[in-house]
Structures are given as structure tokens and as C-alpha cells.
Amino acid sequence: MTLSELNELPSDEAFSWFSQCCVSSHWCKLMVDALPFSDLASLLSWAQQNWQACSKLDYLEAFDGHPMIGDVASLRAKYASTKALASKEQQGAAEADEATLIELSEMNHKYLAKHGFIFIICATGLSAQTMLNALKARYDNDTATEISLAAAEQLKITLLRINKGLSH
């Protein structure tokens, strides 16, 4: 979809498009209300401003739109393809071993039990070990701090999805 096409969508279709970037219904409504956008920079700026105008409940709604990384089989499949790339694109990165995947799954479940929402990280390009290290580093934070950190990660994810969703 081009920016022009997005600008011309009926409100319900634009809402649906934005919900593929972030499932916070309040954020999606704010984005629809801000249409039309003059250029991609304006769209991204509004996305950020509108995200910062959201409440804790809006953030939690957005977090709920992500699957939890907790199924070892899905983790194994996700990181299997990185083996060949790791030596070329990620100097020094090791492939995800079974122990790392199991620990990542266990830590994700502990994080959910402690904070009441899943661990959110912009995982694009991150190895399983990097995600596990980040999860361990953030686990002991208080929940208010984690909401703030997760909201910042959610914004990164949302901006990436907007960029991927629009043809440039």
C-alpha cells in the first residue's frame, strides 16, 4: 500500500490497516483521526506522538496483541534459520541451542507471572541469546518501569511495521 492509498481509505479500513501495526484501539483511532499524512516522516511523527498520548491501558492492550515467546517448538523454528546467517551477518553470534530456547521460554513465563503482561522487545535481528539476556536484565525491574520500557519497544515495533506495510 502506498501512503496515498492509505490516506484515501475509508475510516474503518484505515483503522484495520493501523491495527496491523499496533492493536491499541485508542492509538488506531488517533491515527485515523490524523489522516491524511503529507509524507512518511509526518506519518511516523504522528505515530510516535499518538503513542505517547496513550495510557497504560492502551499500552497493555497493545502488548496483548503479541504472541508470547513461550513455546519451545516455535522458538526452535524461529531461530533455526539463523544458523547459516549467523557467521556471515552476526559475527560472533552462536546459533540458538536447546538450553537457550528452554531458558527463554521459562523466563518468559516467569516474566508474565511477575508483571502481568508478556515481555516486549523489538526482536528484529536479535538472536535468542540476546533476547534472553535482555529478558534477564529487565526481569527484576518494577512493573511500572517495565511498562515504560515495553512501551518504548512497542513503538519501535510499530514504526517498523508501518515502514514494512507501506511501499516507498
Side-chain angles (χ1 to χ4, degrees):
M1 171 165 313
T2 66
L3 181 59
S4 295
E5 291 168 337
L6 175 61
N7 283 334
E8 294 173 12
L9 287 177
S11 293
D12 61 330
E13 291 179 35
F15 186 97
S16 178
W17 189 88
F18 284 115
S19 71
Q20 294 174 30
C21 302
C22 175
V23 301
S24 165
S25 54
H26 181 66
W27 179 84
C28 291
K29 182 183 179 328
L30 291 172
M31 293 304 293
V32 170
D33 291 347
L35 285 167
F37 300 104
S38 57
D39 54 28
L40 180 60
S42 173
L43 167 56
L44 296 174
S45 176
W46 274 103
Q48 185 169 355
Q49 289 174 44
N50 287 337
W51 183 243
Q52 291 168 347
C54 286
S55 70
K56 174 184 166 184
L57 290 176
D58 300 323
Y59 294 157
L60 293 174
E61 180 184 14
F63 304 163
D64 281 344
H66 293 275
M68 181 175 71
I69 301 171
D71 174 41
V72 175
S74 68
L75 284 170
R76 192 178 298 118
K78 176 178 174 61
Y79 288 105
S81 64
T82 64
K83 181 180 178 182
L85 298 175
S87 62
K88 295 177 187 169
E89 296 178 0
Q90 300 174 4
Q91 293 282 334
E95 93 178 84
D97 60 27
E98 191 75 9
T100 301
L101 298 179
I102 290 169
E103 190 175 5
L104 184 55
S105 173
E106 290 170 355
M107 284 298 300
N108 268 292
H109 287 284
K110 285 175 61 175
Y111 181 98
L112 174 62
K114 178 179 180 177
H115 294 293
F117 57 91
I118 66 166
F119 178 69
I120 302 292
I121 189 168
C122 184
T124 301
L126 300 182
S127 69
Q129 186 62 55
T130 301
M131 288 179 56
L132 177 59
N133 292 345
L135 177 51
K136 286 179 176 180
R138 288 176 42 191
Y139 177 78
D140 287 327
N141 288 337
D142 62 76
T143 300
T145 299
E146 272 309 295
I147 288 172
S148 178
L149 292 171
E153 293 295 312
Q154 175 65 52
L155 179 59
K156 292 178 194 175
I157 294 164
T158 300
L159 297 176
L160 281 171
R161 289 177 178 175
I162 289 170
N163 275 302
K164 286 180 182 177
L166 289 177
S167 23
H168 301 287

